Amino acid sequence: MSEEGWGEVLLSTSTPRVGSGWTDTGESFDTRGLKKRARKATRPVPIPPVLVRLVREHIKEFGTAEDSRLYPAAQGGGLLSKEYGEVWKAARLAVLTESEAASPLADVPYSLRHLGVSLWLESGVSPAEVARRAGHSIAVLFRFYAKAIHRNQQRANEQIERALEADDGE
């Protein structure tokens, strides 16, 4: 990541918790390649300047785990889904109003991914670029985010009008 401007996170593996009985190593976490990609494939994810600053501040204050993870468990290793859920619940209570916390707003961490993809679409980023950044196919993007895409209809109409008016002026 550069000091200023956009950064990039390079994803290379996933490490789901599957239980020690389901791994070859006997560990609870199984390191795998990225979903629906070649085992050694990577996926770059651009991150905006505000997130670059937050990640840098976090690393400066807390460092990283030996394997470069930003959020290791207190005793080392990967966070258990139970621990992650407890931290998420506490964070929601700390930052949301009482009525927001009682609502389904960001009720699970995955909600942030959905929010991010919806924000990109509503900001006018092309669906092909949103799909690439999210690691989706275009078909998956349209299936799950059709509402966000549809809400852009007025903006799309205005863009088309401007383009047509510009052509009329030539």
Side-chain angles (χ1 to χ4, degrees), residues 9-86:
V9 173
L10 187 62
L11 303 176
S12 59
T13 59
S14 65
T15 312
R17 183 171 193 272
V18 294
S20 58
W22 298 98
T23 65
D24 293 334
T25 63
E27 298 290 324
S28 296
F29 295 88
D30 191 22
T31 300
R32 303 174 178 176
L34 299 174
K35 188 175 175 183
K36 297 186 179 181
R37 287 180 171 72
R39 181 109 178 125
K40 301 279 185 184
T42 59
R43 182 165 69 85
V45 180
I47 59 173
V50 64
L51 295 182
V52 170
R53 285 190 298 279
L54 289 173
V55 169
R56 286 188 180 283
E57 289 169 11
H58 177 83
I59 291 171
K60 186 175 180 179
E61 184 172 348
F62 301 104
T64 62
E66 287 182 22
D67 64 359
S68 299
R69 280 176 295 116
L70 292 178
Y71 305 105
Q75 303 299 319
L79 288 173
L80 300 176
S81 54
K82 177 184 176 217
E83 295 169 319
Y84 200 82
E86 290 170 356

Side-chain angles (χ1 to χ4, degrees), residues 135-149:
H136 290 316
S137 67
I138 296 283
V140 166
L141 185 78
F142 286 158
R143 185 177 327 127
F144 292 101
Y145 295 94
K147 289 180 183 175
I149 293 168

